[in-house]
Amino acid sequence: MTDDVLVVHGGTPLEGRIRVRGAKNLVSKAMVAALLGDSPSRLFDVPKIRDVEVVRGLLGLHGVKVTDGAEDGELVFDPANVESASTDQINVHAGSSRIPILFCGPLLHRLGHAFIPDLGGCHIGPRPIDFHLQALREFGATVDKRPEGLHLSAPNGLHGTKFALPYPSVGATEQVLLTAVMAEGVTELRNAAVEPEIIDLICILQKMGAIIKVHTDRVIEIQGVPKLHGYTHRPIPDRIEAASWAAAALATRGHVEVLGAQQADMMTFLNIFRSVGGEYEVTDTRPPKLGDPGQEGGIRFWHPGGELNAVALETDVHPGFMTDWQQPLVVALTQARGLSIVHETVYEQRLGYTEALNSMGANIQVYRDCLGGTPCRFGRRNFKHSAVIAGPSKLHAADLVIPDLRAGFSHLIAALAAEGTSRVYGVDLINRGYEDFEAKLADLGAHAERP
Ligand SMILES: CC(=O)N[C@H]1[C@@H](OP(=O)(O)OP(=O)(O)OC[C@H]2O[C@@H](n3ccc(=O)[nH]c3=O)[C@H](O)[C@@H]2O)O[C@H](CO)[C@@H](O)[C@@H]1O
Ligand SMILES: C=C(OP(=O)(O)O)C(=O)O
């Protein structure tokens, strides 16, 4: 742990321009989808993050040859040898990511059986997989839970089904999509998640030959097809990373342009950003023409000076305010005048990181009650899932240990906004979802170094 530390000298506004590439929460799923094709797939703008490495390793073990394409960030997946692969080493990936659960459908289609090692991912509550398993059973799979992982088989193949999710889970919706596309017959999924990353995954599957209808009211209908081919796809940019840098600009009274950030996928964040008092400008992409090199679009975010305003927000499924946006934004809210309220309704235990902010001088109280307008699943269930942030607070340096990805980025922002020198331990976790974050910090003029 001691060499996994970043020394951060706070108090300097972040100023400059960075770029975001393909979304962590799409790219890893797109990589799994390549398993379903009977010919190679090609994915562009793949960020160099740990989750991509983990899925690349898993695909390799399952016989998918993954190679770097000609363009920086391009990966090519050749699934020709899936049937003959030996997966003896699969447990080396136990505990490293949540993505292995999404291999169920594709492996059942290709092999008739699947072994899924223990899942990893962020420690932000219990994170059950009951919806996934229930859906797989509805398709006709048998699921055997053993201490070393899940053993699945589909002795009679997979068949389309009518299924309603108890909650619009992103992962469970992806599970159904990746399974239904090649199941025999029609699948109707109700209460599906409709995050932009899901829609992008649907675009990929459609490119592969799938037939998927997205109806109103969270209903998705999939008509199974016997065969899919490879895809070529440029994924949507990472809207969580873009919002994280926006929050960093606000918290440090800086000015950051995020190339690649897309307004349409960030509307809810942009509304809150403006309500807090942050300013932004959307710049459109101008394609190159003769005598004009063109310009890559993005969004410029800045602190206009003066005081920030307190706000009340609830995290929610799309099109609500993303749960992964709240941790970075809360750091900026410690600098707003008045009482801000954050009601976390997606994960029951995603506010633990506020203790570290309090150790730096923030004034954040967490409550078991639903403090937002809507009572949520976690009310009266003893989970501290609402926060009241009183500001503005002068943040001072501290020694911090990163608990998970987004909380980790919020610790980093707090250290950059604070006066004095902080030591942030466990920063390697941030590489799970933020490409080259140390180089980006340097580009933005942050004073941070490895000791
Ligand atoms: C790799 C990836 O894409 N991760 C994202 C994905 O996680 P992930 O797909 O794991 O999150 P889900 O949308 O599935 O989880 C939402 C809620 O549903 C619950 N649930 C989920 C599945 C299940 O079988 N049973 C169950 O109870 C969860 O505990 C949670 O309370 O969506 C989350 C919500 O936008 C984001 O925070 C994560 O960054
Ligand atoms: C919770 C997250 O990711 P994962 O689902 O991969 O743990 C995240 O990206 O913040």
Side-chain angles (χ1 to χ4, degrees), residues 86-401:
S86 150
T87 52
D88 290 354
Q89 302 295 314
I90 203 79
N91 257 323
V92 299
H93 291 291
S96 47
S97 152
R98 300 197 68 68
I99 305 303
I101 191 70
L102 296 178
F103 278 67
C104 293
L107 289 179
L108 285 172
H109 282 304
R110 291 209 61 157
L111 308 173
H113 59 87
F115 169 68
I116 308 299
D118 243 14
L119 301 183
C122 282
H123 302 293
I124 47 176
R127 308 193 77 176
I129 50 166
D130 50 338
F131 307 164
H132 295 250
L133 302 187
Q134 211 182 325
L136 287 160
R137 289 189 178 110
E138 295 273 340
F139 280 108
T142 60
V143 183
D144 183 10
K145 284 199 223 176
R146 298 203 202 141
E148 72 277 13
L150 297 173
H151 291 266
L152 297 105
S153 63
N156 302 313
L158 296 168
H159 301 274
T161 180
K162 276 194 173 193
F163 186 69
L165 287 172
Y167 182 81
S169 148
V170 170
T173 300
E174 292 159 343
Q175 181 76 264
V176 170
L177 286 168
L178 290 164
T179 307
V181 279
M182 281 180 69
E184 199 190 313
V186 176
T187 296
E188 182 186 277
L189 178 65
R190 297 193 162 265
N191 207 22
V194 289
E195 268 62 8
E197 292 77 12
I198 300 262
I199 303 300
D200 210 29
L201 179 62
I202 292 176
C203 290
I204 290 173
L205 293 167
Q206 198 179 40
K207 283 177 173 175
M208 297 177 79
I211 301 172
I212 304 173
K213 295 181 198 156
V214 182
H215 296 294
T216 48
D217 298 332
R218 300 188 175 280
V219 178
I220 301 181
E221 188 186 318
I222 306 116
Q223 191 180 316
V225 294
K227 192 163 119 68
L228 294 172
H229 51 78
Y231 64 81
T232 296
H233 192 70
R234 198 170 286 278
I236 55 165
D238 199 306
R239 63 196 175 116
I240 307 178
E241 184 183 358
S244 302
W245 290 113
L250 200 56
T252 62
R253 304 181 77 84
H255 189 147
V256 174
E257 180 170 11
V258 185
L259 293 176
Q262 258 176 30
Q263 180 185 14
D265 298 338
M266 295 184 71
M267 278 187 173
T268 310
F269 177 84
L270 294 174
N271 288 336
I272 293 285
F273 191 82
R274 182 166 278 161
S275 305
V276 177
E279 299 220 359
Y280 64 87
E281 185 189 41
V282 180
T283 48
D284 292 325
T285 299
R286 202 177 64 237
K289 352 183 244 251
L290 204 63
D292 174 1
Q295 179 186 288
E296 186 177 356
I299 308 180
R300 272 191 320 117
F301 299 93
W302 70 96
H303 188 306
E307 288 206 325
L308 297 179
N309 315 311
V311 292
L313 69 90
E314 283 181 339
T315 64
D316 207 346
V317 293
H318 190 75
F321 190 92
M322 289 186 87
T323 167
D324 313 69
W325 284 335
Q326 61 92 351
Q327 307 79 346
L329 191 79
V330 161
V331 184
L333 292 180
T334 66
Q335 304 308 301
R337 177 156 306 275
L339 295 181
S340 291
I341 295 173
V342 172
H343 181 205
E344 169 60 61
T345 77
V346 181
Y347 285 107
E348 56 272 60
Q349 290 170 31
R350 222 176 178 182
L351 291 174
Y353 72 94
T354 55
E355 267 179 40
L357 301 187
N358 284 342
S359 78
M360 303 175 79
N363 183 353
I364 306 175
Q365 305 256 25
V366 287
Y367 296 89
R368 292 184 170 82
D369 316 71
C370 296
L371 292 185
T374 332
C376 77
R377 297 172 294 154
F378 310 135
R380 299 208 205 93
R381 285 184 49 214
N382 230 12
F383 295 116
K384 290 184 174 168
H385 70 293
S386 294
V388 176
I389 303 127
S393 305
K394 205 170 173 50
L395 298 180
H396 53 77
D399 282 358
L400 306 163
V401 181

Side-chain angles (χ1 to χ4, degrees), residues 400-411:
L400 306 163
V401 181
I402 284 182
D404 65 71
L405 182 58
R406 309 300 165 191
F409 201 83
S410 82
H411 286 10

